[in-house]
């Protein structure tokens, strides 16, 4: 699904990712953990194609394509989804309107019939129920005046609408109370299947109690310094990030 | 971030599609303005004495006036002696039907998407069109249907001949000859425009529309529109405008007067797409327009909706004088300035009668080096019991080289008035565009979606066909070569 090889990236001349290697197979769930400022969001944004991050070396293959050559919207239409750490507000544009335009842009790209208003409404109501989002939120402007938790849930609603091949969730768990966390996890789990993959970026292992990953990686200073299975997250939780950093330094 | 800024700027470049010229023989007066020129214009139109006298009176007032300089606009002084005040496509005789109109003119309007052939119109939308090409009116379609309803819709010059008493009574009754510098100039030299009269109790059976086109070089367009809605009548009117691309600036100084008697309603919509100049700010129309409506009777209603995307300079404040009790004034505006365009636009709501209500919704969009100012006055006179006004002025910025300004003035002389004002400024950010692109929308689709979302309160006031038109126009204005 996704193959990241020796990826280096910089922002405003400052190196942030220093050689990331990551292989995500179909159906797998990977978690990336790491202290603040270690480069987790940078990795997520580089994958999505944000242009103020400059890729200075390395390559990324996504479903057989050279991902780094693709425009952000093409990546999205080919099934790469990013749930943003800080979802953006778009005043004046309703959630419903934006999603309909976007879903149909994706369908056009894939040579599928566009959904008409009725079909779309039926689909989105079904997905909104999945993340327990009240329908009034569909008619409100995109993320405007949403609480932190509501924004995150809106990201998962969008993810459910697109049914992406690879979902990158950037700290979707932070700022959520336990009930909201369960709802988000339930939404994500419902998408798990043998042909979809998920990359969870998180600061805490709490989320991993609900979405159990196949692999856990620890990111520090723009490098994956350790990989393991879900037990690594628990160990990390107990011993703190300094433990792996020290180890990485010693190794 | 430098790169992002450039991308945004590239995105808002556009081509002006209406910039062609028509090669047609014209009867044009040499540049310059004096009493003789005014007499000539009046003579060419075989006007009655009262009109010539009125023009001369306006001219004398104008000579004593100074060009206003209070607007947030910067432009070199306009040399009014360098302009020709009359230009008409040469036509041998008076026309009875469209068959006799010069095919080149018809072609021009065809290219602009203005259907003048009634045949075609009958198949589609019911809109009666009066097309003004430089200084004269070329064709008024649908005359018959309208006259059966008792509606008069014709070039002003024709109304002067056919119903001089109406013209005499109402011309200058809302915008007096000496109202302001540009209105006085217009009163002296106006060459054409549309005239509408809706009889009592009549709901005009179709949308009325005027289409203005400046073609000739170094001419000004000084049209004058007068709309009278008699008691309990209703009319919806649309005005559209374009001009060829020229390096010189062209002056457009129009006057529009609306009169709504007791219980009457006038809805006046403008989609202004005059040539805005090129991306370096060369050329473009100077648009100095006075538009005002008077709600003369009880329950009269006047609603202005404008979508201003063109012109190098826009100076325009469609206003409503609320004389009648329970009368209603509305102003809905979208003004877009891109490249080096400047707009200083807004409205005046003058409350005189009791229980009158006014609403102002203004949306300014600035991109490139565009400068967009909202200037509005809400005035409540002493006797205007229970006046209500709600104003909302929103600005949307794209990039960091443009500007938005708001100048809301409020003068209240009656303590029972309730006047509310809200204002916001937002920016289309790189983060918003990236968010949309991550969801699969192209950058153009994202910009257009955000801009249309910003304008929707105004667009919903436009008649359906024109709302679609306006949405497209805004799309074109902002989307570069796309679309
Ligand atoms: N747009 C930006 N401009 C400048 N520095 C940035 C930008 N984005 C991230 N950084 C820097 O890159 C480093 C990694 O940030 P980030 O990827 O957001 O970390 P994380 O998500 O792991 O907390 C930090 O030092 C941060 O300050
Ligand atoms: Mg982060």
């Amino acid at each position: 699904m996704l193959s990241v090889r020796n990826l280096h990236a910089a922002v405003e001349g400052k190196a942030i990712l220093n050689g990331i290697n990551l292989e995500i197979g179909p159906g797998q769930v990977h978690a990336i953990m790491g202290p603040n400022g270690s480069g987790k969001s940078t990795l997520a944004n580089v994958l999505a194609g944000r242009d103020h991050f400059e890729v200075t070396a390395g390559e990324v293959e996504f479903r057989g394509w050279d991902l780094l050559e693709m425009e952000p919207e093409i990546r999205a239409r080919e099934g790469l989804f990013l749930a943003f750490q800080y979802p953006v507000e778009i005043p004046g544009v309703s959630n419903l309107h934006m999603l309909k335009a976007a879903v149909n842009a994706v369908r056009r790209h894939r040579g599928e019939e566009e959904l008409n208003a009725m079909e779309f409404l039926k689909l989105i109501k079904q997905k909104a129920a999945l993340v327990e989002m009240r329908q009034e939120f569909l008619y409100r402007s995109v993320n405007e005046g949403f609480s932190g938790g509501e924004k995150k849930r809106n990201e998962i609603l969008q993810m459910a609408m697109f049914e992406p091949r690879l979902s990158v969730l950037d700290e979707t768990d932070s700022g959520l109370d336990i009930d909201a966390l369960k709802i988000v996890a339930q939404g994500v789990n419902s998408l798990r299947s043998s042909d979809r993959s998920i990359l969870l970026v998180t600061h805490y292992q709490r989320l991993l109690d609900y979405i159990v990953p196949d692999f856990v990686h620890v990111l520090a200073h723009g490098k994956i310094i350790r990989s393991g299975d879900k037990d690594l997250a628990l160990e990390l939780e107990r011993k703190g990030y300094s433990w792996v950093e020290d180890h990485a330094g010693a190794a | 971030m430098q790169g992002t800024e450039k991308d945004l700027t590239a995105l808002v470049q556009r081509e002006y599609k209406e910039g062609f010229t028509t090669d047609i023989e014209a009867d044009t007066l040499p540049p310059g303005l004096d009493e003789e020129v005014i007499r000539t214009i009046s003579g060419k139109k075989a006007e009655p004495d009262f009109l010539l006298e009125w023009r001369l009176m306006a001219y004398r007032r104008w000579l004593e006036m100074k060009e206003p300089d209070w607007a947030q606009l910067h432009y070199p002084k306009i040399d009014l002696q360098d302009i020709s005040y009359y230009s008409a496509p040469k036509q041998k005789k008076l026309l009875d039907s469209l068959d006799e109109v010069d095919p080149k003119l018809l072609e021009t309007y065809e290219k602009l998407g203005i259907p003048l052939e009634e045949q075609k119109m009958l198949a589609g939308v019911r809109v009666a069109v009066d097309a003004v090409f430089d200084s004269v009116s070329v064709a008024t379609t649908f005359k018959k249907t309208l006259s059966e309803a008792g509606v008069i819709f014709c070039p002003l010059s024709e109304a002067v001949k056919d119903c001089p008493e109406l013209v005499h009574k109402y011309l200058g009754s809302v915008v007096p000859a000496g109202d302001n510098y540009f209105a006085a100039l217009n009163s002296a030299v106006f060459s054409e425009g549309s005239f509408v009269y809706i009889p009592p109790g009549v709901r005009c059976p179709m949308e009325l529309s005027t289409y203005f086109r400046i073609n000739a070089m170094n001419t000004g367009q000084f049209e004058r529109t007068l709309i009278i809605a008699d008691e309990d009548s209703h009319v919806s009117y649309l005005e559209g405008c374009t001009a060829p691309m020229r390096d010189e600036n062209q002056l457009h100084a129009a006057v529009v007067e609306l009169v709504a008697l007791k219980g009457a309603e006038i809805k006046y919509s403008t989609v202004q797409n005059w040539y805005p100049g090129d991306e370096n700010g060369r050329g473009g129309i100077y648009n100095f327009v006075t538009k005002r409506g008077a709600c003369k009777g009880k329950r009269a209603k006047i609603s202005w909706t404008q979508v201003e995307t063109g012109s190098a300079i826009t100076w325009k404040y469609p206003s409503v004088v609320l004389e009648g009790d329970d009368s209603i004034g509305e102003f809905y505006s979208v003004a877009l300035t891109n490249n080096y365009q400047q707009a200083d636009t807004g409205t005046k709501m003058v409350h005189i009668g009791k229980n009158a209500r006014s609403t102002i919704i203004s949306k300014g969009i600035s991109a490139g080096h565009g400068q967009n100012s909202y200037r509005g006055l809400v005035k409540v006179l002493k006797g205007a019991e229970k006046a209500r006004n709600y104003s909302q002025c929103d600005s949307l910025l794209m990039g960091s080289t443009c500007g938005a300004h708001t100048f809301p003035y409020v003068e209240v002389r009656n303590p029972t008035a309730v006047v509310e004002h809200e204002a916001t400024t937002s920016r289309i950010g790189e983060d918003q565009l990236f968010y949309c692109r991550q969801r699969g929308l192209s950058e153009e689709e994202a910009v257009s979606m955000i801009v249309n979302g910003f304008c929707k309160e105004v667009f919903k006031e436009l008649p359906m066909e024109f709302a679609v038109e306006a949405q497209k126009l805004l799309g074109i204005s902002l989307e570069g070569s796309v679309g």
Side-chain angles (χ1 to χ4, degrees):
Chain A
M1 180 71 66
L2 184 79
S3 176
V4 180
R5 288 184 288 267
N6 190 34
L7 183 65
H8 290 251
V11 59
E12 285 159 14
K14 178 178 143 199
I16 295 172
L17 299 182
N18 301 305
I20 304 268
N21 290 291
L22 186 64
E23 289 287 334
I24 302 180
Q28 294 178 351
V29 175
H30 288 238
I32 290 198
M33 304 181 70
N36 279 329
S38 57
K40 302 184 298 293
S41 292
T42 302
L43 175 62
N45 277 286
V46 167
L47 293 177
R50 192 151 202 164
D51 65 3
H52 63 247
F53 296 96
E54 189 197 348
V55 175
T56 47
E59 48 207 62
V60 182
E61 199 182 299
F62 172 59
R63 298 177 65 203
W65 290 293
D66 181 353
L67 185 74
L68 300 177
E69 284 300 305
M70 296 157 81
E71 290 294 323
E73 59 268 36
I74 305 298
R75 300 181 195 200
R77 292 173 195 168
E78 290 295 350
L80 189 148
F81 180 88
L82 170 62
F84 287 77
Q85 182 175 5
Y86 304 107
V88 177
E89 301 189 359
I90 309 180
V93 177
S94 77
N95 235 343
L96 204 65
H97 181 85
M98 200 268 257
L99 271 180
K100 178 157 179 279
V103 164
N104 280 334
V106 172
R107 294 182 71 96
R108 270 200 307 279
H109 178 79
R110 296 181 184 159
E112 296 165 4
E113 278 289 307
E114 290 187 28
L115 296 181
N116 66 31
M118 293 308 289
E119 293 163 336
F120 178 79
L121 212 56
K122 201 173 144 218
L123 183 66
I124 198 169
K125 283 183 176 171
Q126 193 187 319
K127 303 290 186 185
L130 191 71
V131 293
E132 298 182 23
M133 182 184 270
R134 285 203 315 278
Q135 283 186 21
E136 58 154 299
F137 283 92
L138 301 179
Y139 297 94
R140 288 189 22 198
S141 293
V142 178
N143 294 322
E144 195 184 30
F146 286 30
S147 72
E150 286 160 354
K151 284 182 182 168
K152 295 300 176 72
R153 244 192 287 174
N154 199 23
E155 294 293 288
I156 300 306
L157 166 70
Q158 298 189 26
M159 178 177 119
M161 286 300 291
F162 290 109
E163 301 187 339
R165 305 301 288 267
L166 173 66
S167 304
V168 180
L169 279 66
D170 190 0
E171 297 211 24
T172 304
D173 54 331
S174 30
L176 293 186
D177 61 32
I178 195 72
D179 292 333
L181 187 73
K182 282 182 186 163
I183 290 167
V184 163
Q186 186 184 312
V188 174
N189 285 327
S190 73
L191 268 179
R192 283 181 89 152
S193 79
S194 61
D195 60 350
R196 294 182 209 294
S197 311
I198 296 167
L199 179 60
L200 293 173
V201 170
T202 181
H203 192 68
Y204 308 102
Q205 83 83 35
R206 189 178 65 150
L207 176 69
L208 307 182
D209 288 341
Y210 299 95
I211 309 172
V212 182
D214 300 307
F215 299 93
V216 174
H217 312 276
V218 180
L219 188 70
H221 307 302
K223 262 183 124 133
I224 289 178
I225 51 170
R226 224 172 133 165
S227 297
D229 62 9
K230 62 182 184 344
D231 295 335
L232 177 59
L234 292 169
E235 200 172 350
L236 205 56
E237 177 91 340
R238 269 200 319 275
K239 301 184 175 165
Y241 284 114
S242 53
W243 164 69
V244 268
E245 285 190 56
D246 292 349
H247 260 66
Chain B
M1 292 308 273
Q2 213 51 26
T4 323
E5 176 94 335
K6 257 222 275 351
D7 294 348
L8 265 179
T9 315
L11 207 61
V12 301
Q13 301 301 346
R14 65 147 167 166
E15 265 176 81
Y16 187 74
K17 297 202 168 90
E18 295 80 8
F20 58 89
T21 53
T22 306
D23 185 14
I24 197 159
E25 244 191 295
D27 173 14
T28 306
L29 280 185
L33 181 58
D34 55 25
E35 288 205 6
E36 222 17 67
V37 168
I38 292 165
R39 285 179 203 280
T40 310
I41 295 173
S42 188
K44 276 185 188 292
K45 296 176 159 294
E47 284 174 353
D49 287 347
F50 83 84
L51 205 50
L52 175 61
E53 286 312 313
W54 193 72
R55 283 176 183 279
L56 290 171
M57 180 265 290
Y59 176 69
R60 285 165 203 144
R61 296 286 300 275
W62 177 75
L63 283 177
E64 288 159 17
M65 298 172 98
K66 259 184 44 211
E67 193 173 331
D69 59 1
W70 40 260
Q72 183 91 354
L73 300 170
H74 304 281
Y75 56 95
K77 199 148 175 50
I78 309 166
D79 185 354
L80 292 167
Q81 293 302 338
D82 212 27
I83 293 176
S84 163
Y85 287 85
Y86 186 85
S87 173
K90 258 192 191 140
Q91 258 161 6
K92 303 286 174 292
K93 57 184 169 58
L94 277 177
L95 305 175
D96 289 323
S97 84
L98 280 176
D99 299 343
E100 298 171 47
V101 175
D102 188 322
K104 267 194 197 155
L105 275 180
L106 289 183
E107 228 172 78
T108 301
Y109 283 102
E110 186 102 25
K111 266 201 237 173
L112 294 168
I114 314 301
L116 282 180
E117 292 171 69
E118 295 191 37
Q119 307 303 344
K120 282 189 196 158
M121 294 299 304
L122 285 168
V125 203
R126 301 266 288 173
V127 183
V129 182
D130 185 19
V132 177
F133 194 87
D134 287 333
S135 301
V136 292
S137 182
V138 180
T140 308
T141 58
F142 273 121
K143 269 199 168 140
K144 199 157 162 283
T145 324
L146 290 173
S147 69
E148 274 161 18
V151 171
I152 305 174
F153 177 39
C154 64
L156 186 57
S157 57
E158 223 172 284
V160 169
K161 292 185 192 96
D162 298 347
C163 39
E165 57 306 322
L166 280 174
V167 176
H168 198 175
K169 179 164 176 195
Y170 289 109
L171 189 75
S173 70
V174 185
V175 180
D179 187 79
N180 67 67
Y181 184 80
F182 292 106
L185 177 63
N186 173 288
S187 303
V189 302
F190 75 89
S191 35
E192 200 43 282
S194 290
F195 176 85
V196 175
Y197 173 77
I198 316 287
V202 170
R203 213 185 152 84
C204 187
M206 61 185 71
E207 305 270 353
L208 301 182
S209 167
T210 303
Y211 197 84
F212 295 111
R213 171 92 181 152
I214 298 182
N215 186 61
M217 213 185 293
N218 298 324
T219 55
Q221 187 150 1
F222 303 93
E223 84 275 353
R224 185 152 192 127
T225 298
L226 176 57
I227 299 177
I228 303 147
D230 213 324
E231 296 191 356
D232 300 310
S233 68
H234 178 284
V235 62
S236 168
Y237 189 92
L238 184 106
E239 175 203 298
C241 4
T242 59
M245 286 156 74
R246 295 189 188 284
D247 287 348
E248 316 80 38
N249 298 103
Q250 283 176 287
L251 178 65
H252 176 250
V255 171
V256 175
E257 293 179 278
L258 309 182
V259 179
L261 301 184
K262 182 166 80 60
E265 179 174 347
I266 302 175
K267 193 170 167 55
Y268 192 105
S269 317
T270 305
V271 176
Q272 186 264 109
N273 185 26
W274 294 120
Y275 179 51
D278 68 12
E279 67 274 13
N280 299 314
R282 204 155 39 114
I285 300 290
Y286 286 171
N287 197 30
F288 291 86
V289 172
T290 305
K291 290 184 166 175
R292 194 175 305 151
C295 287
K296 295 263 183 201
K298 240 176 128 62
R299 287 177 294 100
K301 175 175 174 182
I302 289 177
S303 179
W304 297 102
T305 306
Q306 60 173 22
V307 177
E308 307 276 319
T309 62
S311 294
I313 289 189
T314 300
W315 180 97
K316 182 178 167 189
Y317 316 89
S319 305
V320 184
V321 183
L322 297 150
E323 295 172 32
D325 292 350
D326 304 307
S327 57
I328 297 175
E330 295 174 339
F331 174 73
Y332 300 96
S333 170
V334 168
L336 173 126
T337 52
N338 193 3
N339 296 323
Y340 286 86
Q341 283 176 275
Q342 304 173 59
D344 193 298
T345 184
T347 184
K348 279 189 274 186
M349 294 289 174
V350 182
H351 287 253
I352 300 171
K354 297 179 179 58
N355 292 316
R357 281 178 291 147
S358 58
T359 304
I360 298 170
I361 309 284
S362 162
K363 305 276 177 176
I365 304 163
S366 315
H369 292 86
Q371 292 294 330
N372 213 321
S373 303
Y374 166 81
R375 188 181 303 278
L377 169 65
V378 176
K379 190 171 180 170
V380 177
L381 271 57
K382 218 172 177 147
E385 290 292 313
K386 297 200 175 133
R388 289 217 51 148
N389 166 268
Y390 174 73
S391 303
Q392 184 187 323
C393 303
D394 299 324
S395 306
L396 185 67
L397 304 172
M398 297 180 68
S400 57
T401 50
C402 55
H405 320 272
T406 41
F407 304 99
Y409 304 97
V410 177
E411 284 175 40
V412 177
R413 300 232 167 74
N414 184 306
T416 61
V418 181
V419 176
E420 293 169 84
H421 179 85
E422 284 177 32
T424 66
T425 300
S426 51
R427 198 177 283 277
I428 296 189
E430 182 273 339
D431 52 344
Q432 288 175 325
L433 293 182
F434 182 69
Y435 189 78
C436 294
R437 291 178 81 187
Q438 210 306 301
R439 298 303 183 246
L441 295 167
S442 70
E443 202 159 33
E444 287 84 352
E445 287 167 330
V447 168
S448 156
M449 183 179 76
I450 294 169
V451 168
N452 281 318
F454 178 73
C455 300
K456 70 182 171 214
E457 283 160 282
V458 173
F459 285 169
K460 76 180 193 336
E461 295 300 322
L462 287 171
M464 183 66 119
E465 310 83 282
F466 305 127
V468 175
E469 196 65 23
Q471 226 168 48
K472 259 196 260 158
L473 189 57
L474 219 59
I476 294 165
S477 300
L478 284 168
E479 279 179 14
S481 46
V482 188

